[in-house]
Amino acid sequence: MKGILAEIASMVKDFGSAPTFAEMPRKTLADKGIAGPTAAHTIEEVHTPLNLAYLTFTTGSSAFQNIVGITFAELPARVKASFTVLERAGLKAGDKVLVTYPPLVNVFSGEAFKKYGLQWEFLVRSSRDAFLAALYEFQPKAVVGESSFIRASLEDAKHMGVADELPKDIVLLTAGTPLDLELLPIAQEVLNAEVHDLYGCQEFGWLCMDGVPVRDDIELVKLPDNGGQDMYELVVGGLPMGDSFPVSESGHVCNRNGKVITYRRERTYPEYEVIVKATTLTSTVTLGRVARSILRIKGRVVKISPDVVTGAEHTVLELIPDYITAGKQQGIVIEGPAKTRFFDDLVQAQLDYQQKAKADPTWTKRN
């Protein structure tokens, strides 16, 4: 018996159905396209589930930073939206892009940058002087970064008398926080730059550029009376963002054809609840798993109607006010397939996950 176990001990070191630690696939920061410095993070290795394309984090602008899971099923629409942004900005394959804050690449996804054919680099340090040095040395066609940081850096360049040494005619894709309107004149003066305002988030990717949606499954839902200012909740694929904006016919400051004034964002309070009224799924058990998965990886609460219709031709979701605004506003029905794309992509991700057995045989779980 001892001889058999000794042989097994020798065999499992050389081969087996499960990988050793050294054989496990790795997704490094470089693989994700975000291998750059930040002053706000540490670098930690984690075991990432095989059903997720990658992990990222919320910005923490409205609450504690939380983990966000990006599924493979949602990547095509996310990449398509990113292509729309890059095309509207006039970028082309081979262009050099300077990214001031590496996690912003996760909103595009590194895959989008790779497929589009961009070359992108990061700052040596996450500081304004490092940004000016990178502009001078790297000579990018475009910059992706937070608008106030870029504005303050360009003011530094003026004060130091080095503005003339910086590249001209570049594209600024500002993101991460509401657009700092004071950036516009100094960007024109120092860089002769074209400024664009991107709105999106780690959970959903890019949603609007200069007030114009970049996805086909975006709805604007008018909120109840807001002190005389009409505000509209932005809903993506049936899931509310929790952000509201004015909509103006006079247009966005960066594009008069853009009607969503994304730099005047307000947090929606109270937030809508999402109720699934009909689903293409035939099992309410699977639908329940979808709802829990959305809560866990996207932080959005989805509930299932007691009389939900299964096996429907398309998804039907209802957005209803919570108890605080009950009676002030009617529910809003959103019907698929076009307008529930994001929700349906997450349904597909759940189905893909269920069709694959857990790859680690040491993990045993009773149903």
Side-chain angles (χ1 to χ4, degrees):
M1 202 62 161
K2 182 178 179 181
I4 294 176
L5 289 178
E7 185 175 348
I8 291 174
S10 176
M11 289 172 56
V12 297
K13 294 175 183 177
D14 295 325
F15 63 89
S17 59
T20 65
F21 182 73
E23 293 169 342
M24 287 179 65
R26 279 169 164 72
K27 294 176 184 174
T28 66
L29 293 180
D31 293 328
K32 294 166 68 173
I34 62 169
T38 85
H41 303 89
T42 58
I43 299 172
E44 179 180 359
E45 289 186 301
V46 298
H47 288 88
T48 304
L50 292 171
N51 53 290
L52 295 179
Y54 61 92
L55 295 177
T56 185
F57 290 83
T58 59
T59 61
S61 59
S62 61
F64 205 76
Q65 284 188 275
N66 291 309
I67 294 174
V68 173
I70 309 300
T71 67
F72 290 98
E74 68 192 86
L75 274 180
R78 196 181 188 103
V79 169
K80 181 181 178 183
S82 297
F83 276 27
T84 298
V85 166
L86 299 172
E87 288 166 359
R88 288 183 186 175
L91 299 184
K92 59 184 183 300
D95 282 342
K96 297 191 293 185
V97 178
L98 179 63
V99 181
T100 65
Y101 183 63
L104 285 174
V105 175
N106 282 338
V107 188
F108 290 93
S109 84
E111 181 180 352
F113 272 13
K114 291 173 186 175
K115 287 185 174 180
Y116 201 83
L118 298 178
Q119 304 175 50
W120 70 103
E121 291 194 11
F122 304 103
L123 310 183
V124 174
R125 301 180 187 276
S126 54
S127 61
R128 299 206 299 265
D129 52 355
F131 173 58
L132 294 177
L135 281 177
Y136 173 75
E137 292 183 335
F138 188 49
Q139 296 283 310
K141 173 62 178 176
V143 172
V144 178
E146 192 270 330
S147 57
S148 290
F149 173 80
I150 297 174
R151 186 260 307 154
S153 300
L154 297 182
E155 289 175 349
D156 289 347
K158 282 187 62 179
H159 295 155
M160 291 187 291
V162 298
D164 290 342
E165 299 180 46
L166 297 178
K168 302 297 186 266
D169 303 318
I170 67 175
V171 175
L172 299 182
L173 297 173
T174 64
T177 56
L179 175 64
D180 182 343
L181 297 179
E182 294 181 7
L183 169 65
L184 300 180
I186 195 167
Q188 176 64 35
E189 177 187 355
V190 174
L191 302 175
N192 193 35
E194 180 180 297
V195 178
H196 295 288
D197 176 28
L198 298 185
Y199 168 75
C201 64
Q202 297 286 0
E203 300 97 310
F204 294 86
W206 296 122
L207 305 176
C208 288
M209 177 180 181
D210 301 336
V212 180
V214 295
R215 290 180 61 113
D216 297 329
D217 57 352
I218 289 178
E219 290 272 355
L220 291 168
V221 175
K222 189 175 181 180
L223 298 180
D225 180 59
N226 195 54
Q229 171 69 68
D230 287 342
M231 299 293 288
Y232 292 80
E233 167 95 13
L234 197 144
V235 179
V236 186
L239 300 178
M241 284 292 302
D243 284 340
S244 299
F245 308 92
V247 173
S248 172
E249 289 303 316
S250 61
H252 189 286
V253 67
C254 295
N255 180 359
R256 294 305 174 187
N257 293 320
K259 306 305 180 185
V260 184
I261 313 303
T262 45
Y263 48 90
R264 291 176 56 192
R265 180 186 73 188
E266 292 183 8
R267 296 300 297 178
T268 304
Y269 180 80
E271 296 187 11
Y272 283 95
E273 295 182 348
V274 179
I275 311 297
V276 184
K277 304 292 288 185
T279 176
T280 56
L281 295 170
T282 57
S283 168
T284 56
V285 173
T286 300
L287 183 59
R289 291 172 178 167
V290 171
R292 288 191 292 276
S293 293
I294 291 174
L295 173 62
R296 290 168 180 169
I297 67 173
K298 303 298 182 185
R300 297 301 188 272
V301 177
V302 175
K303 299 180 179 179
I304 302 168
S305 173
D307 56 353
V308 63
V309 177
T310 58
E313 290 187 4
H314 54 258
T315 301
V316 178
L317 305 173
E318 184 177 11
L319 274 57
I320 63 171
D322 69 5
Y323 73 94
I324 297 175
T325 53
K328 294 183 180 180
Q329 187 178 13
Q330 297 295 317
I332 294 96
V333 175
I334 298 179
E335 296 193 26
K339 292 300 182 181
T340 59
R341 167 71 186 272
F342 195 93
F343 179 88
D344 291 336
D345 284 345
L346 295 178
V347 168
Q348 185 59 52
Q350 181 66 41
L351 291 173
D352 293 343
Y353 175 60
Q354 292 178 185
Q355 290 168 3
K356 296 178 182 177
K358 187 172 284 291
D360 194 337
T362 64
W363 178 258
T364 302
K365 187 174 182 181
R366 291 185 180 274
N367 292 327

